[in-house]
Amino acid sequence: MPELERLAAHHAPAVLRFERENRAYFARYVPDRGDDFFTGYAARHAALLDEQERGACHFHVLVGDHGTVLGRFNLVDVADGGAELGYRVAERAAGRGLAGEGVRRVCELARTEYGLRRLVASAALANPASLAVLRRAGFVPDHQVKLGGEPGLRHTLDLRASYAAASP
């Protein structure tokens, strides 16, 4: 199983490669990040590490063989015991259970390492695989949202509840 690692400076080239290689795939489900994301990535990566150092966010990468990034699992907007979960898995790694395993691992870190009590996460209605990952991890649909102008569902997870019971 690939390793879930906290984002570090040495991950920058692999994360950029992951984002470039999967850009079209991700754009099928979420709004495209735009060209500026890629041209200014070094500064962006440094800014992410600064946010992480301040405790505003917790970023993780799922690393496979030879340091290849297979997924990203992020907790952003950390405040008042909560955060928003966002994740993406490489197209070539999809369908292997990595999204679900990564979400379960980062939820456990949120509870045990970061002291969070609740998470929220949203997924597009057009992305049934992502909706299923959230529900299998114990997230409960909360309300409808717009994601890049498309309909989606916002979910919540109470980390104080027995998280182990939510895992398959």
Side-chain angles (χ1 to χ4, degrees), residues 46-130:
L48 293 176
L49 294 175
D50 182 57
E51 282 185 273
Q52 183 167 262
E53 182 67 27
R54 290 184 283 118
C57 300
H58 302 287
F59 302 107
H60 305 85
V61 289
L62 190 64
V63 180
D65 295 336
H66 311 293
T68 302
V69 172
L70 299 173
R72 297 180 70 182
F73 297 85
N74 301 321
L75 300 169
V76 300
D77 299 332
V78 174
D80 300 322
E84 183 163 352
L85 168 69
Y87 63 93
R88 51 182 55 201
V89 173
E91 183 174 23
R92 67 184 184 90
R96 298 184 352 208
L98 295 179
E101 182 60 25
V103 166
R104 281 188 291 281
R105 288 187 200 177
V106 84
C107 287
E108 186 61 21
L109 286 171
R111 187 178 67 78
T112 61
E113 299 295 319
Y114 309 137
L116 299 177
R117 298 181 304 276
R118 74 187 169 293
L119 297 177
V120 297
S122 298
L125 294 180
N127 190 349
S130 191

